[in-house]
Amino acid sequence: MSIMARGARILLLAILCSTAIVLPVSGAIHLQAASYSSTDVLRAGRTIFIQTKTIYFKPATLEDALLRREEFQQWGLAITREEADADLIIEVDRKLFTNSFVYSVIDARTNRIVASGKVNSLGGTLERKISDSFIKRMRQARASSSPARTK
């Protein structure tokens, strides 16, 4: 067997071995993250980071609206200004040329969207509407019982 053929076989073997090692590890991480439902993530979340993708909304106004909610305090939730410290991220954006704002609640660990909503800025404060919608979703998550997990 020539040196070129032997080198090609060694390279192919190295590629196959590295693929066999990487796939099960990344698959296990994916399965672990997928095993938690959106409700589980919302129920477990304690710290919240608020970010905006529009100049028409300031995170501090939603922070204030959430901190004024009785449930927010009762559930022991907190707002952080450090994204790395958050369990949940509330991301707010405005649809172009409309009065509609959309928000997404994101699991900070997996970057998976666990809740979302759409509110209109007409007829009331945007922050109150988002906080009402978010608290309603959290209330549903906390009211539902967690199913028993089997290993």
Side-chain angles (χ1 to χ4, degrees):
M1 181 183 302
S2 74
I3 294 176
M4 290 291 268
R6 179 175 267 173
R9 290 182 99 191
I10 291 172
L11 180 62
L12 180 60
L13 182 61
I15 291 170
L16 289 174
C17 288
S18 67
T19 303
I21 293 169
V22 171
L23 289 178
V25 171
S26 63
I29 292 169
H30 177 70
L31 289 175
Q32 182 183 16
S35 68
Y36 294 101
S37 71
S38 296
T39 301
D40 292 336
V41 172
L42 287 172
R43 190 181 306 116
R46 295 286 179 256
T47 55
I48 299 168
F49 175 77
I50 301 168
Q51 70 182 18
T52 182
K53 292 190 165 193
T54 178
I55 62 170
Y56 300 102
F57 175 82
K58 303 290 181 222
T61 56
L62 181 56
E63 291 169 4
D64 182 58
L66 287 171
L67 288 170
R68 291 176 185 265
R69 299 297 301 252
E70 187 176 322
E71 298 98 333
F72 197 83
Q73 304 301 325
Q74 289 173 347
W75 295 330
L77 300 177
I79 294 175
T80 180
R81 294 272 175 100
E82 293 293 329
E83 186 173 356
D85 295 338
D87 299 319
L88 300 172
I89 299 168
I90 299 177
E91 183 179 272
V92 180
D93 199 4
R94 179 177 174 246
K95 293 179 122 186
L96 286 177
F97 308 116
T98 69
N99 293 319
S100 296
F101 288 76
V102 293
Y103 75 91
S104 300
V105 181
I106 302 163
D107 179 356
R109 187 175 52 86
T110 63
N111 214 27
R112 189 174 57 150
I113 297 173
V114 295
S116 64
K118 177 179 161 185
V119 297
N120 194 302
S121 63
L122 297 176
T125 64
L126 175 66
E127 297 78 15
R128 183 188 54 80
K129 290 179 178 182
I130 294 174
S131 71
D132 288 347
S133 179
F134 174 72
I135 292 293
K136 180 180 178 182
R137 183 65 181 102
M138 289 292 283
R139 191 179 298 129
Q140 292 169 346
R142 290 172 180 273
S144 66
S145 61
S146 180
R149 298 206 188 286
T150 57
K151 291 186 179 181

